[in-house]
Amino acid sequence: EDMLECLASGRDLSSSLSGASLVADCCLHEPNWEVGRCVLAAQSMISKIGKDLFGPRADLDSMEPPAATVEILSWLFTLTCPHPFTGNMHMLADMKAQLRVWMDRNC
């Protein structure tokens, strides 16, 4: 609740009581879930989250950073927003592909 109030008031999320950080703020457009806008946390933060989520996964460590970031974010999106991904079985795969295209162009 504190984080929602913080975002609604326009304050930085890190000023919330939990000290949370925004990992990704992406706008996806139907029908192909193209990424219209996306702001990502630093690669070091995303990598740390990946290690926290998966532990020492050799395949994640061997991926180039954009591919690893897409893999980590797809898990985070699924864990934090399960409704759209369970309601549309192809959405996750489409979103991952579009996020990778966006990352290749912008990172």
Side-chain angles (χ1 to χ4, degrees), residues 4-43:
L4 292 175
E5 289 175 12
C6 191
L7 288 172
S9 70
R11 295 187 343 250
D12 188 88
L13 190 57
S14 63
S15 69
S16 70
L17 294 175
S18 67
S21 296
L22 190 64
V23 177
D25 182 11
C26 299
C27 181
L28 305 172
H29 300 283
E30 292 186 76
N32 298 322
W33 306 109
E34 291 179 58
V35 179
R37 167 188 62 75
C38 192
V39 177
L40 300 177
Q43 180 63 44

Side-chain angles (χ1 to χ4, degrees), residues 26-37 84-85 87-102:
C26 299
C27 181
L28 305 172
H29 300 283
E30 292 186 76
N32 298 322
W33 306 109
E34 291 179 58
V35 179
R37 167 188 62 75
F85 297 115
N88 183 341
M89 299 303 286
H90 299 287
M91 182 181 177
L92 182 60
D94 292 345
M95 183 274 304
K96 285 175 72 171
Q98 292 295 337
L99 187 57
R100 181 57 197 262
V101 167
W102 183 89

